[in-house]
Amino acid sequence: MFTVGVYRPQTLPESFNVCIDNIVQYLPELGASYFCSDDPAQLSAADVIWDPRAGGGHAPPKWLTLLEKPLIITLHGVGPLVFPEHYSEGLRHRFEIYKSNRRKKKAWKAASGRYSRIVTVSEFSKKVINDTLNIPSGKIDVILNGVDLSVFTPPENPAENTAPYFLHVSNDESRKNVDRIIKAYEKIKADNKWPLILKLAGDRTCDVPGVKIINKRLSAEELVALYAGAGAFVFPSVYEGFGIPIIEAMAMRCPVITSSGTACEEVAASYATLVDPASVSALSSAMESLMHNPVSEQAIEAAVKHAGSFSWKETAEQYYRVFLQSAGEGKASK
């Protein structure tokens, strides 16, 4: 038995908390104890330290790299380093993003040799991290995220005769492509056009007929109900390190339209309709096609099976092996 110290500040994005909680719950049965802390003294008592909250290209805090314990860093993505235009508004903010990106690259260079492994969530992200931060591919492990099938499970008795709708769920960052989703929806001229429901963070408003925006925070049950009633899930991100909503929608038997390229195509594989995220026309055509040509039951079942292959338990088992190897290397170096 060895101990994993999880670096977990009090405030983290909800998506990071979901990943952490779904991984650490399996560690005790696999043979590792764990605790969560943001205190250097407590973390230094662990056999292995895991920093699970490196997103947006951020390097781990310098003090974390100096604790002289094996350090595993989960780098979810490096979006701002690749597409700074999607993380800034106006020239002044764009300039600040470029300065921030330089600081991030400098911090990663300083951290070189002070961590055991980098974990990322897709082969696409591994390549981008290697290209952008010059971190050797051999230092990067790919461990896919999972989906909680105890939550994202279709109802046994689905509601009948409910009107379908297009659904999009995101934090409404520019890279999520919400503006193009709305434009693509406007281009659909068919009679009895499905409504478009946008579940977004933030305070966006929209006066396009047929578009409904949900800004409030939803419970897991409310989100599941949204997926269950949707005729199609629309997720054409310009950049995505993984794309958990893709497999959540598939698990809920909801046909998916997502982006060709980035990690979206990797995660969706052949079980979704792929479109060029820069093309409003392509997205609109895909949406209209799904309205008139329902996905076959066989294709839906195949997508459900595909989503089921993204298991949080398997994710935890792969993390455990990385932790175990790093703990052994740490003891051998003493």
Side-chain angles (χ1 to χ4, degrees):
M1 178 74 75
F2 62 94
T3 301
V4 180
V6 183
Y7 173 47
R8 191 171 191 174
Q10 292 185 355
T11 303
L12 283 177
E14 184 61 25
S15 59
F16 288 7
N17 285 321
V18 168
C19 293
I20 296 168
D21 291 339
N22 278 291
I23 291 168
V24 298
Q25 66 173 322
Y26 293 108
L27 292 182
E29 66 183 72
L30 292 169
S33 61
Y34 75 91
F35 64 87
C36 298
S37 177
D38 59 0
D39 178 74
Q42 292 180 358
L43 290 170
S44 62
D47 297 301
V48 174
I49 298 171
W50 177 33
D51 178 3
R53 34 98 278 148
H58 287 282
K62 183 178 179 179
W63 62 264
L64 199 60
T65 68
L66 300 177
L67 293 183
E68 297 185 354
K69 288 295 177 72
L71 174 63
I72 293 87
I73 304 162
T74 298
L75 181 52
H76 297 269
V78 292
L81 300 178
V82 182
F83 292 107
E85 64 273 19
H86 289 293
Y87 293 82
S88 58
E89 296 180 6
L91 288 177
R92 179 175 293 181
H93 191 202
R94 181 76 55 84
F95 181 64
E96 292 299 322
I97 290 293
Y98 281 119
K99 288 200 299 182
S100 174
N101 285 346
R102 286 197 295 269
R103 289 193 296 268
K104 290 174 184 177
K105 290 182 178 181
K106 185 176 180 180
W108 275 109
K109 187 174 182 179
S112 179
R114 295 186 177 276
Y115 53 83
S116 297
R117 306 292 301 172
I118 299 290
V119 174
T120 194
V121 293
S122 64
E123 291 292 343
F124 169 80
S125 286
K126 178 177 180 176
K127 183 179 186 307
V128 174
I129 291 167
N130 172 247
D131 292 344
T132 307
L133 295 175
N134 296 316
I135 295 175
S137 295
K139 199 75 172 175
I140 307 171
D141 297 305
V142 174
I143 302 180
L144 303 178
N145 288 323
V147 62
D148 188 347
L149 296 178
S150 68
V151 175
F152 294 95
T153 300
E156 293 183 4
N157 300 302
E160 297 182 359
N161 301 320
T162 56
Y165 48 84
F166 297 109
L167 175 66
H168 172 80
V169 178
S170 78
N171 57 11
D172 200 14
E173 289 180 349
S174 172
R175 66 188 175 94
K176 300 295 185 178
N177 228 1
V178 175
D179 289 342
R180 286 196 180 106
I181 294 174
I182 295 172
K183 290 177 181 177
Y185 181 75
E186 287 186 282
K187 283 178 66 70
I188 299 174
K189 303 302 182 185
D191 294 332
N192 301 317
K193 181 166 66 171
W194 294 353
L196 169 62
I197 296 179
L198 304 170
K199 167 61 190 85
L200 306 173
D203 54 3
R204 177 192 284 260
T205 60
C206 180
D207 57 5
V208 173
V211 178
K212 176 184 177 181
I213 295 181
I214 301 174
N215 296 120
K216 70 175 184 177
R217 184 182 179 88
L218 299 181
S219 66
E221 292 75 16
E222 290 171 321
L223 182 58
V224 163
L226 269 184
Y227 280 127
F233 181 66
V234 186
F235 198 73
S237 298
V238 174
Y239 170 87
E240 204 70 52
F242 185 82
I244 286 179
I246 294 171
I247 54 174
E248 290 177 345
M250 287 182 177
M252 293 300 302
R253 301 178 57 83
C254 182
V256 174
I257 300 171
T258 192
S259 305
S260 57
T262 82
C264 293
E265 182 172 357
E266 179 182 340
V267 170
S270 60
Y271 303 97
T273 300
L274 301 178
V275 298
D276 177 356
S279 173
V280 171
S281 295
L283 179 56
S284 182
S285 295
M287 294 169 71
E288 187 165 5
S289 177
L290 275 181
M291 284 179 54
H292 300 306
N293 304 289
V295 176
S296 70
E297 183 66 20
Q298 182 180 9
I300 289 176
E301 289 296 336
V304 171
K305 184 177 180 180
H306 175 64
S309 69
F310 292 85
S311 159
W312 279 119
K313 185 172 183 180
E314 183 174 337
T315 298
E317 289 171 349
Q318 293 181 54
Y319 267 98
Y320 172 79
R321 289 194 285 271
V322 173
F323 294 153
L324 180 63
Q325 179 182 353
S326 297
E329 291 172 354
K331 290 178 180 178
S333 65
K334 291 184 179 179

